[in-house]
Structures are given as structure tokens and as C-alpha cells.
Amino acid sequence: QVQLVESGGGLVQAGGSLRLSCAASGRTVSSYSMAWFRQAAGKEREFVAALGRSGDNTYYADSVKGRFTISRDNAKNTVYLQMNSLKPEDTAAYYCAGASRPYFNVIYGTNYNYWGQGTQVTVSS
């Protein structure tokens, strides 16, 4: 079992930026497809971004495309989510997830084996 720990959340004004980190232990992140999900208060968990194991495939929810970037640093065994031009509707708990299976639909959280504890992102107006 791999353990994922998120960090980097906080309070930011609309239009600002945050960089979330997901540190993995147990195995290298290059062995997994990695993703970020978020869940706002009173709402269902939703897909944000994903990075394939090969590192050459990225996927983004329409709501964040062009503003968020998912990346991986294999040397640090860490996955990042760079969030720019933040909006109040981005306010949510953000969760890192990993999957060891080779092929699957990345937008469904049930396809992921490992989850972090989450980090809160709050965007003020």
C-alpha cells in the first residue's frame, strides 16, 4: 500500500495562486497514475486533474482547464497541482489519489486505490 500526503492548501484571494503537493511513500509515483479530486461543502467529490503513469498524458476537468496544471517530480516522488487564477468556486478540500492499474477512466474516483487525507483550499472574493 502506498501512502499519500497532501500539503500546500490555504487561504488565497480570488485571482491568486496555490501549489499543492502530494508526497508518496512506499512506491515511486512514476509507477502510478495520479490524480487530484476535490469536494466542496455540500457537494459531491469531483475530478480535477490526472497524470498517467507514462507522464505524457494529462487530463483536466473543464472547470479548471487552462488554470490548473498537474505535474510529477520523480526525483522527489511528489505530484503537484499548480492552481492559478483561483476562483471562489474552487474552494474545496483537495485530495490526491493514485492508481496502479494500467488503463481506466481517470475521472471516476472509484478507480483509484490510494487516497491522501486532503488539504483545504479556500478562495475568498
Side-chain angles (χ1 to χ4, degrees):
Q1 187 178 59
V2 63
Q3 187 170 43
L4 306 176
V5 180
E6 304 97 333
S7 63
L11 176 64
V12 64
Q13 293 184 356
S17 298
L18 283 175
R19 187 196 193 197
L20 305 184
S21 298
C22 174
S25 63
R27 293 174 178 80
T28 59
V29 295
S30 63
S31 299
Y32 295 84
S33 296
M34 303 297 296
W36 289 93
F37 289 77
R38 67 187 183 187
Q39 186 168 20
K43 296 184 178 180
E44 298 293 325
R45 179 183 60 189
E46 66 174 341
F47 169 78
V48 177
L51 179 65
R53 289 187 296 177
S54 66
D56 58 355
N57 294 302
T58 57
Y59 311 87
Y60 296 95
D62 289 341
S63 59
V64 306
K65 190 174 181 62
R67 298 188 298 121
F68 291 10
T69 303
I70 186 171
S71 62
R72 171 167 48 207
D73 186 335
N74 290 333
K76 295 184 180 295
N77 206 30
T78 300
V79 174
Y80 303 97
L81 184 68
Q82 179 66 47
M83 305 185 294
N84 298 324
S85 302
L86 283 162
K87 306 174 181 179
E89 50 263 45
D90 294 319
T91 295
Y94 283 71
Y95 298 89
C96 180
S100 58
R101 66 188 68 185
Y103 303 103
F104 63 97
N105 191 323
V106 301
I107 73 170
Y108 298 113
T110 53
N111 286 324
Y112 293 84
N113 308 101
Y114 310 107
W115 293 85
Q117 290 281 83
T119 185
Q120 179 67 36
V121 172
T122 302
V123 184
S124 62
S125 300

